[in-house]
């Protein structure tokens, strides 16, 4: 997959991939009197956070058992609750999933082809995901592989093959 117009800049991947170039998306929010102009939120957030944020903004109750957390506090200058981890899975591009926990990110590609190799990146040192450090950090790799397995919920409408490499 090529990045035809360099939309991801120095980041690896494109829209629809679980590399940073496919996941990082800027968000602009504007609400005079509530959101401070020019404010920047550095806390990692992701799409599942949009629904609870809109619910909090509107005064509606967020549904139970969702992965997202409201980032309304961060938008309005309050203290943002951080995620323990962020998890993605997509059947596209041959099946893929990823998890970010702190500075560590685990990525798996080509799951539908039975190729189950977990890549590991330290995003604090390698935001472009150029150096797979899985062999250097087996403890972190094992922890994130467990997280990938535990967070996957089978769904016949969106099948993700070969989730557990130990099986």
């Amino acid at each position: 997959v090529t990045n035809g117009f360099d939309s991801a800049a120095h980041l690896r991947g494109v829209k629809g991939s679980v590399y940073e170039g496919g996941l990082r998306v800027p968000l602009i929010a504007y609400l005079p009197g509530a959101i401070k102009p020019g404010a920047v939120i550095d806390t990692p957030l992701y799409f599942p956070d949009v629904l609870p944020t809109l619910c909090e903004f509107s005064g509606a109750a967020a549904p139970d058992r969702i992965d997202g957390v409201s980032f309304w506090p961060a938008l309005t200058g309050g203290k943002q609750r951080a995620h323990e981890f962020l998890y993605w899975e997509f059947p596209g591009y041959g099946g893929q999933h990823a998890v970010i926990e702190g500075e560590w990110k685990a990525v798996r590609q080509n799951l539908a082809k039975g190729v189950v190799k977990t890549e590991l990146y330290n995003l604090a040192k390698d935001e472009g995901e150029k150096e797979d450090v899985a062999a250097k950090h087996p403890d972190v790799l094992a922890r994130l592989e467990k997280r990938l397995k535990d967070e996957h919920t089978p769904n016949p409408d969106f099948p993700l093959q070969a989730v557990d490499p130990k099986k």
Side-chain angles (χ1 to χ4, degrees):
V1 178
T2 62
N3 189 357
F5 55 94
D6 200 30
S7 65
H10 68 285
L11 301 175
R12 183 177 181 181
V14 296
K15 180 82 172 143
S17 80
V18 293
Y19 290 112
E20 292 298 285
L23 297 177
R24 290 191 184 194
V25 178
L27 173 72
I28 298 172
Y30 176 78
L31 185 61
I35 300 173
K36 182 180 173 187
V40 175
I41 300 170
D42 290 329
T43 303
L45 305 168
Y46 71 145
F47 188 73
D49 297 332
V50 173
L51 176 61
T53 302
L54 293 174
C55 288
E56 185 170 353
F57 164 73
S58 68
D64 291 334
R65 298 187 58 190
I66 59 173
D67 292 333
V69 298
S70 173
F71 57 90
W72 183 250
L75 289 173
T76 56
K79 181 161 174 50
Q80 177 63 43
R81 183 179 127 210
H83 285 279
E84 181 182 347
F85 64 91
L86 304 172
Y87 174 79
W88 296 266
E89 65 178 56
F90 302 117
Y93 296 120
Q96 55 186 331
H97 63 162
V99 64
I100 295 176
E101 188 178 280
E103 65 189 25
W104 297 103
K105 181 176 181 184
V107 173
R108 287 190 181 150
Q109 298 287 312
N110 298 311
L111 299 175
K113 297 176 185 173
V115 178
V116 183
K117 174 188 180 287
T118 306
E119 302 164 25
L120 182 67
Y121 301 97
N122 183 320
L123 295 177
K125 296 176 181 175
D126 179 21
E127 143 180 287
E129 298 166 299
K130 296 190 182 345
E131 182 185 2
D132 179 356
V133 295
K136 297 177 185 175
H137 300 279
D139 55 329
V140 175
L141 181 66
R143 185 178 76 239
L144 294 185
E145 284 183 326
K146 182 176 181 336
R147 177 80 73 185
L148 286 168
K149 181 180 181 240
D150 291 350
E151 292 306 315
H152 172 69
T153 301
N155 182 321
D157 294 326
F158 299 99
L160 189 66
Q161 305 297 321
V163 171
D164 185 1
K166 310 298 188 268
K167 287 186 178 180

